Amino acid sequence: MKKIVSGMIGLCMAALLVLSLQSATNPHQAFASTNAATTTEAASKTDNSALQSQFHLSHVVKIYVPSTMNGSTPVTDEVHAKYVDQSLTKFSNLFGGATAISGTGGWVDDNQKLIKEKVTIVYSFAEKLDNQALDEVVAYAKQLKKDMTQSAISLEVDGKMYFIE
């Protein structure tokens, strides 16, 4: 189990790197997942800027949609697209919209072999993030875990990674 969680952490870290590289053209998105200190510092800078009076969303929720079943058996592009669309729909219903970013994640197995897989990060920004919405996201992650026969599904909320088992 430790190896699986370790592998998932590596997969998530690689996906986060891809996310930050892909969003480098938009500085606001590139830093959306930074730590609280950086976020607080950036927020204080915008308090006195032209952005001060603009509507904004303070929270971000991300789910990592794997491209495998049973942990390592690749699914077809059509099956993967089905789960991505399902996640986009769920997050759009909960938060008013969602975005999907494709990437490649990786981890090293017991034989020191690099295992790579396609991963899609579906995320939404939210003005308010209450317990009811979080409970629905966690319930959805548990269902996705069951449907894709995974040991866990990665869920990120405001920069903190959770492994939903």
Side-chain angles (χ1 to χ4, degrees):
M1 182 64 168
K2 287 182 182 178
K3 195 64 172 179
I4 292 171
V5 171
S6 175
M8 290 187 72
I9 290 170
L11 181 65
C12 293
M13 295 306 289
L16 285 173
L17 176 62
V18 169
L19 176 61
S20 65
L21 291 174
Q22 286 184 344
S23 59
T25 57
N26 182 342
H28 297 291
Q29 282 185 334
F31 298 106
S33 298
T34 58
N35 65 33
T38 304
T39 303
T40 302
E41 181 181 313
S44 66
K45 288 181 183 178
T46 60
D47 286 346
N48 296 320
S49 75
L51 293 175
Q52 180 180 2
S53 63
Q54 300 300 309
F55 175 76
H56 67 279
L57 304 172
S58 300
H59 302 282
V60 64
V61 179
K62 302 176 186 179
I63 192 163
Y64 292 68
V65 181
S67 63
T68 59
M69 296 286 239
N70 301 317
S72 62
T73 305
V75 297
T76 65
D77 287 343
E78 292 79 18
V79 169
H80 183 71
K82 175 186 108 173
Y83 289 114
V84 170
D85 286 352
Q86 185 181 72
S87 298
L88 284 165
T89 300
K90 182 66 173 180
F91 276 42
S92 292
N93 285 332
L94 285 171
F95 305 112
T99 301
I101 296 179
S102 297
T104 302
W107 57 283
V108 177
D109 69 9
D110 292 333
N111 299 319
Q112 300 303 300
K113 180 182 176 197
L114 178 64
I115 307 298
K116 295 186 333 183
E117 79 171 274
K118 182 170 80 172
V119 63
T120 301
I121 303 167
V122 174
Y123 68 96
S124 291
F125 286 90
E127 181 177 11
K128 294 180 182 177
L129 196 55
D130 60 18
N131 288 339
Q132 180 180 350
L134 287 173
D135 289 348
E136 285 190 50
V137 169
V138 170
Y140 174 69
K142 287 180 178 181
Q143 185 62 51
L144 184 61
K145 173 193 166 289
K146 180 181 174 188
D147 292 347
M148 297 191 79
T149 57
Q150 296 285 321
S151 59
I153 291 290
S154 298
L155 183 66
E156 184 181 345
V157 179
D158 290 341
K160 292 183 181 179
M161 181 65 73
Y162 299 89
F163 298 101
I164 308 303
E165 297 179 337

